[in-house]
């Protein structure tokens, strides 16, 4: 039998309570679960690309090692540090929101955003270097199709590609195809994350979040950590192959 | 097609009756259960139709015993389907020894076939009754599929690799050959026939169709003109490049560590992309022939390399499948020996 | 005495979700799951008719062995587009986006789905994908087959592969968002007392479907993306001429596309559970087995994709593993059929149109499922792969199964959704015509397939003609049969009898509010103290008791 129950009309609750939820707890639970499930779909999405990477690395190990060796490990490592630090500042932002300290919260969010933009800036530098060295695959850049200069024996020009025995330029192009697809997709997610952070900063400044209601901060924090984790997998798989080889 | 039973095609290979037997078993069992379920449903629908507008039947929660029974029994039956199917499948797809080899190259929208004895055919395949025939197939462009309903077998012909289909025909006649993987505009036109002949008729057909070199002979020509001999030796004895004589089917150590069996796929890849699986002890100096040889020519080179043997004639070294007919051996063909593989 | 109606019904009000607000903006910017369901209903029906026209063109061409009606490239585009539209723009969204969207919140006692704006977004994404695909069709079409096998699709096809791929890619996100919404809703928004095992099986099956949607759809998204990039940028992932592997494409494609068929059929099974229970006034026999079988199908469905690759260079050992698993995935479906049948034992069956569709589903799905066993059996599959046997098999499941369940669900919940009754006599007639037409269309195709008629053939050897003529005759009847509900549903919106809150006299939560429902579904949030399909108080063993004074559950 249907019995009477306090309706949402009678208890207005928190101003951020959406009308179809019974209470803030339910809303928070739904939002968090929703973000976790979304992240699972992202794992499946990136997973397809990781599968392609795994397969072609096993087919063409020498080419992948040569190409990976040619990436700038310094920039990649700095970017890794930047992202890990940004995850730390993001976690701090969530913490400060939970204890209601608005100024440190906003500061940490801003720091996270700055670090994220730094990451993207360094990525832009890397991409530009690839453009200079004619490593953009296929004919994506009209008039500048894939065609790196191959270094010969004894040539240590960092702009030239050293091919290990068994590697061909065509296979290296496949590596760069996967490199740009994966880091590009990752960068797209970073850009979206930067946008979300901007919203968070603006709303935080308006005092929208407090210890009772801050699930957007938590949920976007989850997203940010996920994007960080994807990079933590990408970095060794893309940058650290064949580093024991002599060629730089 | 079949006489008065329009339900199954003619049965013309050694395993087509096996597939049919499994099919009839499947049909019988599934038909039985389908009828059983349908009859039960119809009975219930009539017997338990609503008689008064507001009647409520007694609720029943379920029965674990019944659930177990109708899980276990279908599973067991399904396992018989699986087992029988797997056994026949293994036979359908395990390439036999001592088979006549025919190289098949599919392209939009025709089939090019070449017997190891040299006869070339377009969209037709002549084979004798009672001999195992092995089709070594590839495609020049998109994925095709050789489907011979009367033999109850099919396999994809995939560009960039070789696939194998085999059969042994049991009845003379002409049977459909269909392309069974959608391949573009004229997919439905990519049909042909398999013409199975009594052995004597087949011999006559073979002798009436000589004049073309065997694939191995044509391959030898290519081997010379493309310059393979300069590194691999005129008879595959090796030099700056690895030895080819006796290579086919042998375990080969690679420069990157590990080893690989030198099968058709390996040989083809090494011509197209020589650095992919570099042989241990050799440098990456072989140029690629991608774009310079067609699929037909690759097949011919393959046939030639397969025919090369170490001159000492030691055992366990493969040679080309011996042609069964005496008449067709052109002068250039390597001397056929028994297939030891 | 009418036991089921002795619970309190809200006083009927003139205001419901359909007339609460007027104007285009109130529909196009709605957050109400019920309005969104109707938006989907309209667009899905539109795509269904486009796909149906393509089907009729196919059957017309195949009346004669020669390719004399359509040019071969046109025919190739027609069957490709029939597949793409029907699968991605009709079957996959149909039940979840219309019936699921409408009913899941009501069945669990909630006011809406967890994320109403994401629900609306999913419809717009669906439309965007649809518009792009329609553009591709109008601009010249696509002729690769809905399976897009490489290297034909990457290198050899001169049709609008990339545009279609983009349309499908975008449409995938609609599916993902719907699945996400359903999972979160079912986890977090059930009314007090609505435990997992009191939920209608319709919810269980949509939950299982949503798991597949969120796990599988991203994979087809990345596959289609890689395909499009390869076609544009000419880098070899799938094209062997560029060093790629065409069989890799098939693995990636079928990794999603096999679970996709369970996205199409699991919601249908959920509908059938509702139809069987409610139109026989009996709880589903083996409720928890049916619930868990949905989850089992969702999980196992991810493990069997290789059965689409038995005739490819996939290893024979992999083939055996996939064959074994394909038999395993058939068992939970069989369990459902047995449980539905057992439900009917000593029940009280009415012959209303929804029940006819539900019973039709059981019969036709059984045939489709049994023929699936033929295909799981390796040796037979080698012979019938890429023939009309396959075509007949999947149409039995998709049309004989999913479509019939969809129609059954539409009829069943039509009074709730629209507040109107459809004409019952015409309903039964339509069901009969569809059933007869369907069987005549597809039964002969099994025979043609085993005889060796390949699929996707525009012209065929004359000995197959008799089967094709029968099939086309059936298709005409089927096409006519589809028009019947189309006409009377539209008719009923204006002229149908007004429906009361609970016209079928059923205990489900969705029937305990008016028809059509108010925007917030329930006047007050229900507290649930009864099981799904509880027609009589649990203590009573005999018929016809008063429903009042129900005790708290033990």
């Amino acid at each position: 039998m249907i019995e009477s129950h306090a309706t949402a009309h009678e208890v207005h609750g928190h101003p951020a309570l959406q009308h179809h939820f019974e209470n803030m707890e339910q809303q928070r639970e739904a939002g968090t679960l929703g973000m976790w499930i979304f992240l699972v779909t992202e794992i499946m999405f990136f997973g397809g690309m990781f599968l392609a990477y795994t397969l072609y690395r096993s087919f063409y190990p020498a080419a992948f090692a040569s190409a990976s060796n040619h990436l700038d490990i310094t920039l990649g490592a700095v970017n890794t540090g930047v992202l890990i630090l940004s995850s730390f500042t993001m976690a701090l932002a969530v913490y400060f929101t939970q204890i209601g300290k608005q100024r440190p919260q906003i500061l940490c969010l801003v720091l996270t955003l700055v670090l994220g933009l730094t990451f993207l800036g360094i990525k832009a530098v890397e991409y530009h270097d690839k453009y200079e060295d004619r490593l953009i695959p296929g004919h994506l850049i009209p008039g500048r199709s894939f065609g790196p200069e191959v270094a010969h024996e004894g040539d240590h020009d960092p702009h030239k590609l050293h091919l290990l025995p068994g590697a061909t330029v065509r296979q290296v192009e496949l590596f760069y195809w996967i490199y740009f697809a994966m880091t590009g997709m990752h960068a797209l997610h970073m850009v979206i994350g930067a946008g979300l952070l901007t919203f968070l900063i603006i709303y935080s400044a308006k005092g929208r979040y407090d210890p009772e209601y801050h699930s957007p901060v938590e949920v976007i924090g989850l997203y940010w950590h996920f994007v960080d984790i994807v990079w933590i997998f990408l970095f060794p798989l893309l940058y650290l192959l064949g580093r024991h080889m002599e060629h730089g | 097609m079949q006489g008065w039973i329009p339900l199954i095609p003619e049965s013309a290979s050694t395993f087509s009756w096996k597939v049919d037997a499994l099919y009839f078993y499947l049909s019988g069992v599934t038909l039985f259960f389908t009828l059983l379920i349908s009859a039960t449903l119809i009975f219930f629908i009539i017997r338990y139709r609503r008689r008064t507008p507001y009647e409520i039947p007694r609720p029943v929660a379920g029965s674990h015993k019944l659930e177990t029974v109708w899980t276990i029994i279908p599973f067991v039956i399904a396992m018989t389907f699986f087992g029988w199917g797997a056994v026949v499948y293994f036979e359908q797809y395990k390439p036999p020894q001592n088979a006549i080899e025919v190289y098949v190259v599919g392209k939009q929208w025709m089939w090019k076939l070449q017997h190891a004895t040299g006869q070339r055919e377009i969209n037709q395949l002549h084979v004798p009754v009672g001999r195992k025939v092995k089709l070594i197939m590839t495609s020049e462009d998109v994925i095709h599929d050789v489907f011979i309903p009367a033999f109850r077998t099919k396999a994809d012909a995939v560009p960039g690799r070789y696939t194998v289909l085999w059969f042994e025909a049991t009845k003379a006649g002409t049977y459909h050959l269909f392309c069974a993987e959608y391949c573009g505009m004229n997919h439905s036109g990519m049909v042909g026939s398999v013409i199975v002949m009594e052995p004597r008729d087949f011999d006559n057909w073979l002798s009436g169709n000589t004049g073309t070199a065997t694939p191995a002979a044509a391959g030898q020509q290519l081997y010379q003109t493309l310059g393979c001999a300069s590194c691999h030796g005129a008879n595959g004895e090796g030099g700056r490049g690895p030895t080819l004589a006796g290579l086919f089917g042998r375990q080969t150590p690679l420069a990157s560590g590990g080893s690989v069996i030198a099968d058709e796929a390996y040989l083809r890849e090494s011509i197209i992309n020589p650095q992919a699986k570099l042989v241990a002890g050799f440098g990456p100096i072989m140029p690629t022939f991608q774009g310079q040889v067609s699929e037909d020519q690759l097949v011919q080179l393959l046939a030639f390399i397969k025919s090369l043997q170490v001159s000492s004639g030691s055992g366990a070294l493969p040679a080309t499948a011996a042609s069964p007919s005496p008449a067709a051996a052109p002068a250039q063909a390597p001397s056929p020996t028994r297939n030891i593989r | 005495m009418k036991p089921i109606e002795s619970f309190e019904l809200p006083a009927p009000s003139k205001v419901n979700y359909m007339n609460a607000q007027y104007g285009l903006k109130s529909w196009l910017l709605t957050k109400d799951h019920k309005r969104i369901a109707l938006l989907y209903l309209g667009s899905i029906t539109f795509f269904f008719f486009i796909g149906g026209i393509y089907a009729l063109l196919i059957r017309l061409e195949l009346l004669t062995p020669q390719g004399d009606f359509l040019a071969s490239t046109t025919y190739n585009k027609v069957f490709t587009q029939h597949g793409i539209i029907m699968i991605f723009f009709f079957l996959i969204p149909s039940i979840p986006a219309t019936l699921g969207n409408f009913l899941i919140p009501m069945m669990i006692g909630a006011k809406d789905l967890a994320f109403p704006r994401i629900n609306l977004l999913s419809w717009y994404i669906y439309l965007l994908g649809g518009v792009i695909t329609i553009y591709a069709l109008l601009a010249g079409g696509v002729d690769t087959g809905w399976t897009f096998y490489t290297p034909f699709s990457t290198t050899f096809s001169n049709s609008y592969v990339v545009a279609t791929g983009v349309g499908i890619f975008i449409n995938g996100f609609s599916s993902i968002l719907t699945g996400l919404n359903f999972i979160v809703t079912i986890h977090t928004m059930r009314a007090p007392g609505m435990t997992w095992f009191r939920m209608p099986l319709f919810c269980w099956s949509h939950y299982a479907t949503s798991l597949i949607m969120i796990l599988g759809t991203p994979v087809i998204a990345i596959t289609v993306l890689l395909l499009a990039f390869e076609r544009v940028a000419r880098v070899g992932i799938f094209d062997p001429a560029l060093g790629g592997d065409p069989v890799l494409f098939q693995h990636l494609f079928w990794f999603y596309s096999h679970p996709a068929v369970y996205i199409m059929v699991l919601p249908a099974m959920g509908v059938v559970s509702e139809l069987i229970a409610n139109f026989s006034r009996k709880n589903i026999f083996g409720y928890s087995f049916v619930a868990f079988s949905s989850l089992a199908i969702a999980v196992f469905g991810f493990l069997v994709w290789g059965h689409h690759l038995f005739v490819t260079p996939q290893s024979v050992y992999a083939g055996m593993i996939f064959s074994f698993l394909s038999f395993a995935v058939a068992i939970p479906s069989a369990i459902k059929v047995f449980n539905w049948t057992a439900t009917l034992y000593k029940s009280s069956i009415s012959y209303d149109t929804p029940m006819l569709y539900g019973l039709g589903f059981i019969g036709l799905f059984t045939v489709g499922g049994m023929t699936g066993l033929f295909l799981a059996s390796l040796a037979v599959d080698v012979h019938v792969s890429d023939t009309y046997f396959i075509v007949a098999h999947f149409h039995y499941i998709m049309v004989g199964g999913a479509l019939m369940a969809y129609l059954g669900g539409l009829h069943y919940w039509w009074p709730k959704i629209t507040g109107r009754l459809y004409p019952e006599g015409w309903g039964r007639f339509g069901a009969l015509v569809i059933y007869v037409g369907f069987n005549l269309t597809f039964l002969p195709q099994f025979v043609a397939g085993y005889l060796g008629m390949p699929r996707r053939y525009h012209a065929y050897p004359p000995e197959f003609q008799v089967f094709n003529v029968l099939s086309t005759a059936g298709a005409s009847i089927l096409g006519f049969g589809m028009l019947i509900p189309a006409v009377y549903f539209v008719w009923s919106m204006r002229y149908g009898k007004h429906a009361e809150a609970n016209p079928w006299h059923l205990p489900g939560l969705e029937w305990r509010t008016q028809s059509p429902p108010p925007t917030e579904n329930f006047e007050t949030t229900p507290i649930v103290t009864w099981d799904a399909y509880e027609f009589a108080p649990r203590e009573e063993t005999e018929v016809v008791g008063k429903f009042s004074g129900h005790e708290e559950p033990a």
Side-chain angles (χ1 to χ4, degrees):
Chain A
M1 223 75 67
I2 299 176
E3 293 176 13
S4 180
H5 176 83
T7 67
H9 303 294
E10 293 159 19
V11 178
H12 288 284
H14 199 283
L17 178 65
Q18 307 236 347
H19 75 103
H20 57 282
F21 287 112
E22 294 293 318
N23 51 51
M24 291 303 290
E25 179 57 32
Q26 190 185 50
Q27 181 171 313
R28 195 197 61 78
E29 203 189 320
T32 311
L33 180 60
M35 179 50 80
W36 277 108
I37 292 175
F38 174 69
L39 294 180
V40 166
T41 71
E42 293 276 60
I43 292 174
M44 298 305 290
F45 188 68
F46 276 97
M49 288 190 282
F50 275 103
L51 176 71
Y53 167 89
T54 309
L55 276 171
Y56 285 107
R57 173 173 162 183
S58 72
F59 293 159
Y60 308 129
F64 269 52
S66 313
S68 167
N69 224 339
H70 190 70
L71 293 176
D72 191 331
I73 193 177
T74 314
L75 291 181
V78 166
N79 254 350
T80 307
V82 162
L83 258 194
I84 293 178
L85 188 58
S86 78
S87 257
F88 176 60
T89 54
M90 184 75 221
L92 274 181
V94 174
Y95 167 69
F96 284 125
T97 320
Q98 285 169 338
I99 61 173
K101 297 232 157 100
Q102 191 185 359
R103 292 212 41 214
Q105 166 203 338
I106 296 178
L107 177 63
C108 287
L109 284 175
V110 170
L111 274 177
T112 310
L113 178 61
V114 166
L115 288 167
L117 293 174
T118 307
F119 177 94
L120 288 170
I122 296 177
K123 208 88 217 98
V125 168
E126 280 189 277
Y127 277 15
H128 178 78
D129 286 344
K130 302 291 165 288
Y131 168 78
E132 289 289 327
D133 292 348
R134 295 194 61 159
L135 287 165
I136 311 274
H139 304 276
L140 286 172
I141 310 284
R144 208 180 173 81
S145 55
F146 189 82
E149 281 184 65
V150 178
H152 299 291
E153 208 58 46
D155 188 344
H156 291 289
D157 183 350
H159 290 281
K160 294 202 184 142
L161 178 69
H162 293 264
L163 285 180
L164 293 166
T168 68
V169 171
R170 173 134 263 171
Q171 294 160 4
V172 165
E173 186 179 9
L174 196 55
F175 173 92
Y176 277 101
W177 170 240
I178 291 177
Y179 168 82
F180 277 104
M182 298 187 86
T183 60
M185 190 57 67
H186 177 260
L188 175 65
H189 282 77
M190 292 279 310
V191 169
I192 294 171
L196 292 172
L197 278 170
T198 311
F199 273 121
L200 276 186
I201 293 169
I202 294 174
Y203 284 143
S204 294
K206 292 189 179 166
R208 206 47 121 74
Y209 309 119
D210 55 38
E212 281 85 52
Y213 169 67
H214 53 271
S215 59
V217 185
E218 282 184 354
V219 147
I220 291 174
L222 272 177
Y223 174 81
W224 191 262
H225 294 315
F226 172 77
V227 178
D228 184 14
I229 288 178
V230 171
W231 177 259
I232 289 175
F233 277 90
L234 284 184
F235 176 63
L237 289 180
L238 291 173
Y239 286 78
L240 300 183
L241 299 181
R243 288 285 161 184
H244 58 285
M245 312 281 183
E246 260 177 280
H247 310 280
Chain B
M1 288 296 109
Q2 194 70 347
W4 59 277
I5 310 173
L7 293 179
I8 57 171
E10 272 195 273
S11 179
S13 83
T14 49
F15 50 64
S16 50
W17 69 269
K18 295 185 188 178
V19 175
D20 285 346
L22 174 58
Y23 180 69
F24 289 135
Y25 172 60
L26 276 161
S27 303
V29 174
T30 56
L31 199 60
F32 170 73
F33 281 103
T34 307
L35 289 175
L36 185 63
I37 295 172
S38 308
T40 311
L41 277 172
I42 293 173
F43 174 68
F44 285 175
I45 295 167
I46 300 175
R47 168 84 174 78
Y48 300 114
R49 67 187 180 280
R50 188 164 304 169
R51 292 188 168 88
T52 63
Y54 300 113
E55 64 186 16
I56 310 277
R58 179 166 167 259
V60 179
S63 157
H64 282 212
K65 214 185 326 180
L66 213 46
E67 301 282 353
T68 311
V69 163
W70 65 42
T71 304
I72 302 282
I73 292 184
F75 183 73
V76 167
I77 296 175
M79 286 301 104
T80 67
F81 297 156
F82 164 66
W84 191 344
V87 162
V88 180
Y89 173 72
F90 214 70
E91 189 182 332
Q92 280 167 313
Y93 274 178
K94 195 164 77 116
Q97 324 279 37
N98 305 320
I100 302 173
E101 289 186 352
V102 179
Y103 294 96
V104 180
V105 176
K107 75 180 275 275
Q108 287 173 323
W109 287 278
M110 57 193 278
W111 296 105
K112 297 190 283 192
L113 300 96
Q114 184 164 38
H115 294 251
T117 45
Q119 291 76 8
R120 290 169 174 273
E121 310 195 63
I122 303 275
N123 291 336
Q124 283 194 334
L125 174 62
H126 286 80
V127 293
V129 171
R131 288 295 311 275
K132 294 188 176 46
V133 177
K134 184 166 97 167
L135 305 182
I136 301 168
M137 317 190 289
T138 184
S139 162
E140 272 182 28
D141 37 42
V142 300
I143 303 181
H144 300 277
D145 186 292
V146 169
F147 175 35
I148 309 164
F151 299 165
R152 310 290 188 276
T153 187
K154 65 163 63 76
D156 280 356
V158 180
R161 62 196 297 172
Y162 292 111
T163 52
V164 171
L165 183 67
W166 86 273
F167 56 83
E168 180 179 332
T170 53
K171 201 160 72 160
T174 303
Y175 307 107
H176 285 303
L177 186 152
F178 293 126
C179 174
E181 184 57 64
Y182 173 67
C183 55
M185 183 169 82
N186 208 17
H187 170 57
S188 14
M190 199 163 158
V191 301
S193 342
V194 178
I195 300 156
V196 180
M197 306 173 115
E198 298 298 341
R200 185 164 310 138
D201 297 327
F202 183 69
D203 288 345
N204 290 338
W205 179 82
L206 280 178
S207 41
N209 283 281
T210 54
T212 39
T214 64
Q220 187 173 39
Q221 292 270 34
L222 279 169
Y223 185 81
Q224 300 291 344
T225 50
L226 289 171
C228 317
S230 60
C231 293
H232 291 285
N235 292 309
E237 63 270 21
R240 276 183 300 168
T243 309
L244 299 180
L247 170 66
F248 184 69
R250 202 173 57 205
Q251 198 87 356
T252 306
L254 298 177
S256 55
S259 67
V260 75
I261 298 218
D263 58 6
E264 280 107 348
Y266 169 76
L267 291 177
R268 184 184 175 282
E269 183 182 30
S270 299
I271 299 172
I272 301 283
N273 185 9
Q275 324 304 337
K277 293 192 174 72
L278 203 53
V279 177
F282 290 90
I285 58 173
M286 176 173 164
T288 170
F289 288 86
Q290 181 161 34
Q292 295 175 54
V293 281
S294 68
E295 290 299 335
D296 292 317
Q297 290 173 319
L298 279 167
V299 150
Q300 288 160 355
L301 282 168
L302 228 69
F304 174 62
I305 295 173
K306 278 159 82 167
S307 74
L308 292 172
Q309 323 152 58
V310 176
S311 42
S312 61
S314 50
L317 292 178
T320 41
S323 157
S325 82
Q332 309 262 25
S335 45
T337 57
R338 292 291 136 230
N339 195 334
I340 312 169
R341 199 159 134 221
Chain C
M1 270 186 288
K2 304 178 190 179
I4 294 171
E5 285 188 84
S6 59
F7 62 78
E8 293 164 47
L9 272 173
S13 146
K14 290 234 139 222
V15 178
N16 58 59
Y17 79 97
M18 287 174 114
N19 59 27
Q21 278 181 297
Y22 286 109
L24 204 57
K25 220 172 97 165
S26 74
W27 279 89
L28 294 181
L29 293 178
T30 182
K31 293 205 295 243
D32 181 0
H33 65 103
K34 300 181 288 302
R35 287 194 168 197
I36 295 173
L38 286 189
L39 291 175
Y40 266 112
L41 179 61
S43 23
I44 281 166
T45 308
F46 169 73
F47 280 107
F48 177 71
F49 278 105
I50 295 187
I53 290 172
Y54 284 132
L56 289 174
L57 288 174
I58 294 173
R59 290 295 354 143
L60 276 176
E61 169 65 87
L62 293 177
L63 262 178
T64 59
Q66 305 85 14
D68 46 10
F69 176 56
L70 300 168
S72 60
T73 36
T74 310
Y75 180 80
N76 295 338
K77 289 177 183 171
V78 166
F79 73 69
T80 300
Q81 289 156 193
H82 168 71
I84 291 172
I85 299 269
M86 285 306 202
I87 290 174
F88 292 108
F89 294 97
F90 173 67
L91 281 165
I92 285 177
S94 60
I95 296 175
T98 56
L99 298 174
N101 261 333
F102 197 98
L103 293 160
I104 288 178
M106 299 184 70
M107 285 180 163
I108 61 173
K111 295 196 190 71
D112 206 311
L113 290 175
F115 306 117
R117 279 172 294 200
I118 289 185
N119 197 11
L120 183 66
L121 179 65
S122 80
W123 182 68
Y124 278 108
I125 293 176
Y126 168 82
L127 275 192
L128 180 61
V131 161
I132 293 176
T133 307
I134 298 231
Y135 154 73
L137 303 191
L138 293 175
V142 59
D143 69 349
T144 56
W146 85 275
T147 46
F148 293 104
Y149 277 11
T150 62
F152 183 73
S153 58
T154 51
T155 315
F156 291 86
S157 170
N158 289 319
S159 60
Y160 286 78
V161 177
V162 174
T164 312
V166 169
I168 292 173
F169 175 79
I170 292 174
N171 184 58
F173 288 102
S174 172
S175 212
I176 291 173
L177 293 178
T178 301
L180 193 154
N181 226 339
F182 286 173
I183 292 178
V184 177
T185 305
I186 292 174
H187 269 280
T188 62
M189 293 180 74
R190 283 168 285 119
M194 175 62 78
T195 62
W196 281 87
F197 289 95
R198 283 186 178 155
M199 276 199 312
L201 288 166
F202 181 86
C203 299
W204 275 100
S205 71
H206 277 77
Y207 183 81
T209 306
S210 302
L211 289 176
I212 307 178
M213 280 170 158
I214 61 160
L215 291 175
T217 316
V219 178
I220 191 72
I222 196 67
T223 305
V224 163
L225 211 56
L226 289 175
L227 174 69
F229 277 136
E230 175 152 339
R231 193 169 158 86
V232 167
R234 306 295 304 133
V235 181
I237 308 168
F238 304 128
D239 187 348
L242 302 170
D245 183 5
V247 183
L248 172 64
F249 176 83
Q250 295 185 30
H251 280 285
L252 282 172
F253 177 84
W254 286 112
F255 185 81
Y256 164 76
S257 299
H258 186 82
V261 315
Y262 297 113
I263 294 178
M264 297 182 240
V265 94
L266 276 172
M269 291 168 156
V271 170
V272 171
S273 289
E274 298 299 313
L275 298 177
I276 297 292
N278 285 301
F279 287 88
S280 66
R281 294 228 179 114
K282 200 147 158 284
N283 61 321
I284 292 283
F285 190 93
Y287 170 99
S288 46
F289 282 88
V290 178
F292 284 124
S293 70
S294 296
L295 294 178
I297 291 172
V299 170
F300 275 97
F302 274 101
L303 304 178
V304 299
W305 78 91
H307 66 225
H308 299 270
L309 285 95
F310 285 158
V311 297
T312 68
Q314 177 180 261
S315 117
V316 296
Y317 301 105
M320 290 192 189
I321 295 174
F322 282 118
S323 169
F324 171 79
L325 288 167
S326 302
F327 282 109
V329 81
I331 302 296
S333 298
I335 290 175
K336 283 188 201 264
V337 171
F338 299 140
N339 276 298
W340 288 324
T341 308
T343 304
L344 294 174
Y345 177 67
K346 288 198 175 161
S347 63
S348 167
I349 300 170
S350 84
Y351 296 153
D352 295 307
T353 306
M355 184 53 144
L356 296 183
Y357 279 110
L359 293 170
F361 175 98
I362 298 180
L364 299 178
F365 175 77
T366 300
V367 172
M370 295 287 192
T371 52
L373 296 175
F374 286 69
L375 303 180
S377 186
L378 290 154
V380 173
D381 186 81
V382 167
H383 176 60
V384 301
S385 223
D386 281 296
T387 67
Y388 263 84
F389 195 96
I390 307 277
V391 174
H393 159 73
F394 64 69
H395 280 94
Y396 259 83
I397 309 266
M398 295 299 127
V399 183
L403 180 60
M404 298 210 73
Y406 179 57
L407 289 173
L410 277 182
H411 283 83
Y412 172 39
W413 284 296
W414 193 255
K416 179 59 54 183
I417 295 173
T418 60
R420 303 282 187 145
L421 298 174
Y422 62 86
E424 181 60 40
W426 281 102
R428 295 180 190 181
F429 176 64
L432 188 63
V433 173
I434 288 176
Y435 188 83
V436 167
F438 169 80
N439 277 299
L440 186 56
T441 309
F442 292 106
L443 211 46
Q445 292 184 4
F446 284 121
V447 183
Y450 198 80
L451 277 170
M453 178 172 172
R455 59 185 287 204
R456 297 173 165 169
Y457 263 40
H458 158 247
Y460 54 83
E463 63 258 30
F464 297 121
Q465 184 174 21
V466 58
F467 305 105
N468 279 287
V469 170
L470 287 171
S471 187
T472 302
S476 325
I477 299 173
L478 180 61
F480 167 67
M482 299 288 191
L483 290 176
I484 300 173
V487 168
Y488 64 63
F489 273 147
V490 172
W491 174 91
S492 77
M493 304 266 307
R494 179 90 164 80
Y495 299 107
K497 257 204 295 234
H498 283 279
E500 47 184 74
N502 194 353
W504 306 111
H505 312 300
L506 298 169
L509 207 45
E510 74 267 29
W511 300 108
R512 304 197 186 206
T513 185
Q514 67 185 48
S515 301
T519 304
E520 297 233 315
N521 297 337
F522 300 98
E523 294 284 310
T524 60
T525 303
I527 293 186
V528 179
T529 57
W530 57 92
D531 289 335
Y533 324 116
E534 194 171 299
F535 289 89
R538 248 170 285 122
E539 304 82 41
E540 295 194 11
T541 55
E542 216 11 81
V543 172
V544 188
K546 243 184 74 148
F547 221 129
S548 62
H550 201 90
E551 306 302 310
E552 282 294 304

